[in-house]
Amino acid sequence: MKYKLILLLTVICLYSILADAKVKLPAIFSDGMVLQREHPIKIWGAAEPGEEVTVKLKKVKCKVTADAEGKWRVELPAMKAGGPFELEINETKLSNILIGNLWLCSGQSNMELTVGRVTDMFAEEISTYENPMIRYVKTPYGNDLHEEKDDILRMDWKPLTKDNALSFSALAYFFAKEMFKETNVPVGIINSSWGGSSIEAWMSEDALRDFPRNLRERDIYNSDEYRDLCNKAENMMSGFWNTTLYRDDEGLHSSIAWYCSELDDSNWETVDMFSSALGTKNGYSVSGSHWFRQTVHLTPLQSDKDAVLRLGCMVDADSVFVNGTFVGTTSYQYPPRIYKVPASVLRPGGNTVSIRLISYGGRPSFVPDKPYCLIQNTDTIYLSRQWKYKLGCEMPGKKGGVSFQNIPTGMYNSMISPLRNLSFKGVLWYQGESNTGCPYEYESLLTAMIRDWHEKLADKNLPFFIVQLPDFMRSHNIPVESNWAALREAQRQVTLKVPNTALAVALGLGEWNDIHPLNKKELAKRISLLVKKMIYGHHEIVANGPICTSMVVEEGKVTLSFEDGTDDLFPVKQLKGFAVAGIDGVYHWAETTIENKKVVLSCQNVPFPTKVRYAWDDNPKDANLKNRAGLPAAPFQIELDK
């Protein structure tokens, strides 16, 4: 019996050793992945030191021995598009592998924004299109400040099905469809993005060598103990704030809760939901809970149908009730409020809609020009701008913590470095909103990042397609300084100076009241035109709007010329968006005409113009320079050569 026990323990130990010795692959290697065609294919991982690793793909077999640290890597020859194939690494088998074009998509929330958020605009297309040759994977969040990582958490490749589509990046979704239509080969998307992130966080330590301030910022936060303390303190403070708000919110603890339909709100204040004075007390804004109520009248037929309550967007968080029944909640300001209301909740006649709106920073508001209505099939019952209002609980502003996703190097280390051995067809970069506070260093930062990624990804010719920030916020009636415009110009300058880059102009696709514009389909088409010309050799197509190349001044008039092929300017009754300045640097609107593929400007207030700006505003809504291909000119500035 003793010997049997020893034998059993020995077998268990050997099994454990063999199990531990199993070859380990990076998380990016999983069933359904896409590998880049017509590039050498690198496969890498870990094993026991000295272990022999055999890699098979199609008819190609390679062997390698793990080094003293247990690391190994093989390079398979370039292969043509096709699949599905099986990838074997010793006893590990990955199935349904495709070879096609692999794209890296990165940036902040407008790259991360999902298909689910744009279904209002593209519902039919999204609900009907499927394509197993398009695959997508989202990189898990990570922001390690210590070192460049070799691997990340689990990653699951997903084919484009109707069910999976809603979790895809919207821009990547439409772009992948355009690329498949162009090439008819598999398309893979790796989406490595994080909402609210700064460009510095996507840059390696090497890329930031010329930016010592950013590296010092990284060093300040480069302590796991400090990070844990910050996160713990933030979570505790948030918990205390929320607990206090709940405890003292009169609307939740009155004898009749303020969301109940039987509540008498006749003595509540009546307010305009879009008033700038909303949620103020004695002239100052108030953090805490704000309650709003109004009655929506339904016919007996309408009350017998399921409905959808649309409440635009609200700042910051909300809980919504219909006739005292909870129908939905949103924890932050950006997502559209779309709440289902079953027919069982509704009644003929008056129906009470109650909103508990929580303001973290003292600016409770409803975003204008968004839908506020109750929808039933073809019936739309619009809500009134007038609401009954009462303050539920006044609170101090909620303190924010450290935004670790903005600390330099963090996301490069965790979300880009583990991908560095892959080959890509190109990179889509949609970022900049978080850097508009200091736009004049963005050109240098983006240039350094691109060059570093070229080196780290071992492809100095890797194309970068940079999305210029769209129009956003209020427009101005006079020429103004604009950080958004300055950052757009920085993005444009990078594409003029750095090889293998192109600018995707988003002008006209923005929404003044939403930092996340919905029309990602048109933006994807504009990017695809650049790809077709730059990568696939369609030199005959027009891929850019008018690109200004020179400025000449004669007798007080400015003549702007444009790059050949982009200069077939679309005639308009009145060309808008141009301003000129003299040596004093003060800009004035210019009178503008189109003459022989050129733009001619003049301004009585500027007899000796030296500078021109076009579409220089946060939201240059009137700017209308485009060519006959329908592509808008990028916002730009140009100075007279000295």
Side-chain angles (χ1 to χ4, degrees):
M1 188 70 181
K2 178 179 178 181
Y3 293 113
K4 288 182 178 179
L5 180 61
I6 293 173
L7 180 61
L8 178 61
L9 291 173
T10 302
V11 171
I12 292 172
C13 289
L14 286 172
Y15 180 81
S16 177
I17 291 170
L18 290 171
D20 289 342
K22 184 179 179 181
V23 169
K24 296 180 181 178
L25 291 170
I28 190 65
F29 286 93
S30 65
D31 294 341
M33 79 175 300
V34 177
L35 297 168
Q36 179 57 44
R37 65 171 172 157
E38 297 167 1
H39 277 251
I41 297 173
K42 297 171 186 173
I43 312 291
W44 68 97
E48 288 295 308
E51 182 181 357
E52 185 176 87
V53 178
T54 302
V55 178
K56 298 179 184 177
L57 180 62
K58 296 177 70 173
K59 296 180 180 180
V60 178
K61 179 192 293 187
C62 287
K63 292 186 177 182
V64 67
T65 301
D67 64 19
E69 295 180 353
K71 296 180 179 180
W72 58 268
R73 189 175 85 171
V74 300
E75 187 173 291
L76 306 179
M79 300 181 184
K80 292 184 178 180
F85 304 114
E86 189 174 76
L87 175 62
E88 299 182 37
I89 306 95
N90 284 8
E91 70 278 18
T92 300
K93 294 183 179 181
L94 302 181
S95 62
N96 198 17
I97 304 299
L98 299 178
I99 298 175
N101 291 324
L102 183 59
W103 294 86
L104 176 57
C105 299
S106 189
Q108 56 183 110
S109 55
N110 268 303
M111 182 61 80
E112 195 173 22
L113 189 80
T114 64
V115 169
R117 287 276 293 276
V118 304
T119 51
D120 267 4
M121 188 172 286
F122 307 107
E124 183 177 354
E125 178 177 354
I126 292 166
S127 65
T128 57
Y129 184 83
E130 294 188 314
N131 188 337
M133 293 294 102
I134 294 176
R135 308 281 174 84
Y136 175 88
V137 66
K138 178 70 166 65
T139 304
Y141 292 151
N143 53 358
D144 188 289
L145 302 178
H146 300 315
E147 61 185 359
E148 297 179 8
K149 311 300 286 186
D150 293 327
D151 202 3
I152 41 187
L153 298 174
R154 180 178 178 85
M155 299 179 69
D156 295 311
W157 287 84
K158 297 179 179 180
L160 200 171
T161 65
K162 289 180 285 189
D163 291 335
N164 290 337
L166 296 180
S167 66
F168 282 33
S169 155
L171 179 59
Y173 168 88
F174 290 113
F175 176 75
K177 291 176 66 175
E178 288 288 335
M179 290 300 95
F180 184 81
K181 188 189 304 181
E182 167 66 21
T183 63
N184 202 35
V185 303
V187 177
I189 299 288
I190 299 179
N191 179 15
S192 193
S193 56
W194 192 340
S197 57
S198 66
I199 188 173
E200 297 92 333
W202 296 103
M203 299 173 68
S204 73
E205 181 174 340
D206 293 334
L208 288 168
R209 293 294 183 195
D210 292 333
F211 307 91
R213 173 177 58 82
N214 296 116
L215 289 178
R216 293 183 189 118
E217 180 184 3
R218 184 275 313 269
D219 293 343
I220 291 171
Y221 294 102
N222 195 9
S223 163
D224 290 336
E225 182 182 8
Y226 178 66
R227 177 191 288 239
D228 291 343
L229 287 171
C230 286
N231 289 335
K232 184 177 181 180
E234 181 182 359
N235 290 336
M236 288 179 67
M237 180 57 68
S238 179
F240 295 149
W241 197 91
N242 290 331
T243 298
T244 303
L245 175 65
Y246 177 82
R247 183 195 67 197
D248 295 343
D249 190 342
E250 184 183 353
L252 296 174
H253 304 296
S254 292
S255 57
I256 301 177
W258 292 359
Y259 54 78
C260 294
S261 56
E262 61 266 30
L263 177 76
D264 181 5
D265 57 21
S266 59
N267 64 341
W268 284 26
E269 180 184 359
T270 299
V271 298
D272 185 322
M273 64 191 293
F274 301 125
S275 169
S276 59
L278 191 70
T280 60
K281 179 181 178 181
N282 299 326
Y284 64 89
S285 54
V286 176
S287 299
S289 65
H290 302 260
W291 288 82
F292 300 85
R293 290 166 57 91
Q294 76 167 266
T295 300
V296 179
H297 292 276
L298 300 178
T299 66
L301 185 61
Q302 290 171 330
S303 67
D304 199 35
K305 298 177 182 177
D306 293 342
V308 173
L309 180 61
R310 298 294 303 263
L311 290 172
C313 294
M314 291 181 266
V315 182
D316 292 289
D318 63 89
S319 294
V320 177
F321 306 82
V322 175
N323 292 330
T325 299
F326 173 76
V327 296
T329 184
T330 304
S331 61
Y332 65 110
Q333 70 180 77
Y334 293 117
R337 275 55 170 183
I338 307 174
Y339 300 137
K340 293 181 179 179
V341 183
S344 59
V345 171
L346 301 173
R347 62 184 64 152
N351 291 260
T352 304
V353 177
S354 306
I355 300 172
R356 180 181 184 242
L357 182 59
I358 299 173
S359 172
Y360 299 133
R363 292 290 178 186
S365 60
F366 297 83
V367 177
D369 293 345
K370 295 286 185 179
Y372 295 89
C373 55
L374 193 68
I375 301 173
Q376 295 177 313
N377 297 328
T378 57
D379 286 344
T380 300
I381 300 96
Y382 292 97
L383 274 63
S384 169
R385 290 179 52 147
Q386 306 300 312
W387 291 76
K388 290 290 188 176
Y389 165 78
K390 192 171 184 179
L391 177 64
C393 178
E394 181 178 359
M395 291 283 292
K398 192 173 186 180
K399 302 294 191 295
V402 177
S403 297
F404 282 100
Q405 76 264 36
N406 288 323
I407 306 302
T409 75
M411 280 180 289
Y412 173 82
N413 289 345
S414 297
M415 299 173 68
I416 299 297
S417 177
L419 309 174
R420 64 187 182 275
N421 289 323
L422 293 172
S423 294
F424 294 97
K425 193 66 175 178
V427 175
L428 272 59
W429 176 253
Y430 193 159
Q431 191 279 334
E433 297 94 334
S434 290
N435 286 86
T436 53
C438 190
Y440 296 100
E441 64 180 6
Y442 193 82
E443 180 185 343
S444 298
L445 289 167
L446 182 54
T447 298
M449 190 201 82
I450 292 172
R451 288 174 176 166
D452 186 65
W453 283 25
H454 278 161
E455 183 176 337
K456 296 290 173 57
L457 297 173
D459 186 351
K460 293 186 177 180
N461 296 315
L462 182 66
F464 266 74
F465 300 90
I466 299 163
V467 178
Q468 194 182 44
L469 293 186
D471 23 337
F472 176 54
M473 297 181 291
R474 296 284 185 181
S475 300
H476 298 86
N477 293 324
I478 60 173
V480 294
E481 295 300 321
S482 163
N483 281 7
W484 276 66
L487 195 130
R488 292 186 194 109
E489 177 65 8
Q491 293 172 316
R492 189 181 76 93
Q493 288 297 325
V494 169
T495 61
L496 293 177
K497 299 172 183 177
V498 179
N500 300 306
T501 61
L503 185 71
V505 178
L507 192 65
L509 302 181
E511 299 175 26
W512 79 266
N513 58 1
D514 199 332
I515 201 170
H516 303 120
L518 297 182
N519 195 354
K520 296 295 190 286
K521 182 175 182 176
E522 178 60 30
L523 180 58
K525 286 183 177 180
R526 293 182 187 181
I527 298 172
S528 70
L529 288 173
L530 297 169
V531 172
K532 291 173 185 178
K533 188 157 192 167
M534 184 172 171
I535 294 181
Y536 295 122
H538 295 299
H539 301 298
E540 75 285 358
I541 68 172
V542 179
N544 296 97
I547 299 175
C548 187
T549 55
S550 66
M551 167 182 176
V552 176
V553 178
E554 292 181 350
E555 298 180 354
K557 288 189 176 183
V558 177
T559 300
L560 301 178
S561 298
F562 298 86
E563 184 178 291
D564 288 346
T566 72
D567 59 348
D568 189 7
L569 306 183
F570 187 85
V572 294
K573 183 178 294 186
Q574 185 178 3
L575 195 57
K576 296 181 179 180
F578 285 91
V580 297
I583 57 175
D584 62 359
V586 178
Y587 282 87
H588 301 266
W589 293 128
E591 294 182 7
T592 314
T593 58
I594 296 173
E595 300 178 12
N596 299 321
K597 295 187 176 182
K598 300 180 187 296
V599 171
V600 179
L601 314 173
S602 63
C603 178
Q604 292 182 348
N605 294 322
V606 187
F608 304 105
T610 60
K611 303 174 184 178
V612 172
R613 282 177 172 173
Y614 171 69
W616 199 270
D617 196 353
D618 301 332
N619 180 9
K621 67 175 184 177
D622 292 329
N624 60 348
L625 176 63
K626 60 182 179 180
N627 52 29
R628 291 183 187 271
L631 297 172
F636 68 87
Q637 65 180 5
I638 188 170
E639 295 187 24
L640 191 64
D641 291 336
K642 297 180 180 178

